Amino acid sequence: DLAGWRAVFAVNVPLGAAVFFTGYRYLPRIIPAGPRPAFDLPGMVLFALSLTSLLVVLMTPQWWPLLAITVAAMVLFVRRELRHGEPFLDLRAAGTNVALSLTFLRTLLVSVAFYAFIYGYPQWVQHTRGLSPAASGLILLPAFLAAIAASAVTGSSPVVRKKLIVAMIVLCAPTPLLLTLGDTGPVWVLVIPCVFMGAGQAIAHLANQTALQHQADPARMGSSAGLLRTFTHLGAVLSATVNAALFAGGAVTSALHGLAWFMGGTVVATLVVVITDRSLARLGRRP
């Protein structure tokens, strides 16, 4: 509230330092046997260039000519990965691993819905309900407390499909709640949608991570996990684009209701992906 919204990102500095220290100090040092795989640096650069240029266009639409760089970099990336003996991303394997591709799609959709709420809801709380930035942040805090609680309760369960279905039901709950909100009303009611969004997102994220551990090639677990995070961040950027369109006329109640319909539709689409993916039923079962 005192230093502006950009200051919130400073929290990553002490957290990152703590993670680095504990990882360096306590993680076992395992040296793999045999020759180390080749480092596909050109493939990584082309992949990063295509994604970066795409995200810049999504965040700043007037820079649309950069799409030419996106297309060119992606074409070169695909061409190299298909021809390289040890590619950064095995596109042939990814094309045949439909289950893993669906996990990436679910991650993208859940991230779009969750971050659309996280980015859009505080704008409405401040603009229409008149709360300060600090108060709006405190209203969002239960979302992350609910995420921690949901992770603690469901994290040890190996099942995937049931957790994803439960997560979609929980994520659907805020839609009717948001549609009932207006320009006035008790402040405590504003916290309820946050609790559902936080818990649902945490359950879905854990389930998708568990699915990836079953579906990804063990030799490429690192790159697969990195792609899962890539789709999470891509969903966050896409959600910002959605909010820019929905809140173009201001963070008014009608815009909030439009956001609620968008979130509900995205979650229902994700639920359809979960139900139609029969491979999920086998994950997490005891042999």
Side-chain angles (χ1 to χ4, degrees):
D1 195 25
L2 295 175
W5 65 269
R6 292 173 179 84
V8 73
F9 296 103
V11 73
N12 290 316
V13 176
L15 289 178
V19 170
F20 179 83
F21 172 77
T22 53
Y24 182 80
R25 178 66 178 82
Y26 297 106
L27 287 178
R29 289 171 169 80
I30 301 175
I31 301 176
R36 294 187 179 184
F39 214 57
D40 183 17
L41 185 58
M44 295 179 183
V45 171
L46 289 170
F47 182 74
L49 180 61
S50 61
L51 275 188
T52 302
S53 57
L54 175 62
L55 297 184
V56 169
V57 172
L58 292 175
M59 292 186 292
T60 314
Q62 60 266 29
W63 285 28
W64 63 266
L66 286 180
L67 281 176
I69 297 178
T70 302
V71 174
M74 186 55 67
V75 169
L76 292 174
F77 170 73
V78 171
R79 182 179 179 182
R80 174 177 175 81
E81 299 305 279
L82 291 176
R83 296 182 176 183
H84 198 271
E86 296 184 12
F88 162 64
L89 179 59
D90 193 342
L91 295 178
R92 286 191 176 87
T96 57
N97 195 339
V98 178
L100 182 59
S101 299
L102 290 176
T103 296
F104 291 147
L105 176 60
R106 291 192 306 269
T107 300
L108 175 69
L109 292 175
V110 170
S111 296
V112 169
F114 177 72
Y115 284 105
F117 175 80
I118 291 296
Y119 295 156
Y121 194 55
Q123 296 183 53
W124 176 80
V125 169
Q126 293 180 53
H127 181 272
T128 300
R129 299 301 295 265
L131 274 68
S132 67
S136 301
L138 290 175
I139 285 178
L140 278 184
L141 185 60
F144 304 102
L145 296 177
I148 294 172
S151 299
V153 172
T154 66
S156 60
S157 173
V159 298
V160 173
R161 191 170 186 268
K162 288 182 180 179
K163 283 203 291 190
L164 285 171
I165 292 176
V166 170
M168 295 310 109
I169 295 173
V170 174
L171 287 172
C172 275
T175 293
L177 293 173
L178 293 173
L179 291 174
T180 63
L181 295 179
D183 296 352
T184 59
V187 174
W188 65 268
V189 176
L190 304 179
V191 175
I192 299 177
C194 300
V195 174
F196 281 102
M197 290 301 297
Q201 186 268 347
I203 297 172
H205 185 64
L206 283 172
N208 283 326
Q209 283 190 124
T210 303
L212 179 135
Q213 292 168 3
H214 288 281
Q215 297 163 343
D217 179 2
R220 295 193 170 276
M221 188 63 69
S223 61
S224 297
L227 282 173
L228 191 74
R229 295 301 302 164
T230 298
F231 279 96
T232 300
H233 296 311
L234 183 59
V237 175
L238 290 174
S239 71
T241 305
V242 170
N243 278 337
L246 291 174
F247 289 82
V252 295
T253 299
S254 59
L256 177 69
H257 292 169
L259 175 63
W261 284 115
F262 171 80
M263 289 164 47
T266 304
V267 173
V268 169
T270 312
L271 180 60
V272 171
V273 175
V274 172
I275 294 174
T276 55
D277 185 0
R278 296 182 180 180
S279 66
L280 293 175
R282 300 189 299 268
L283 302 184
R285 286 184 175 180
R286 294 177 186 238

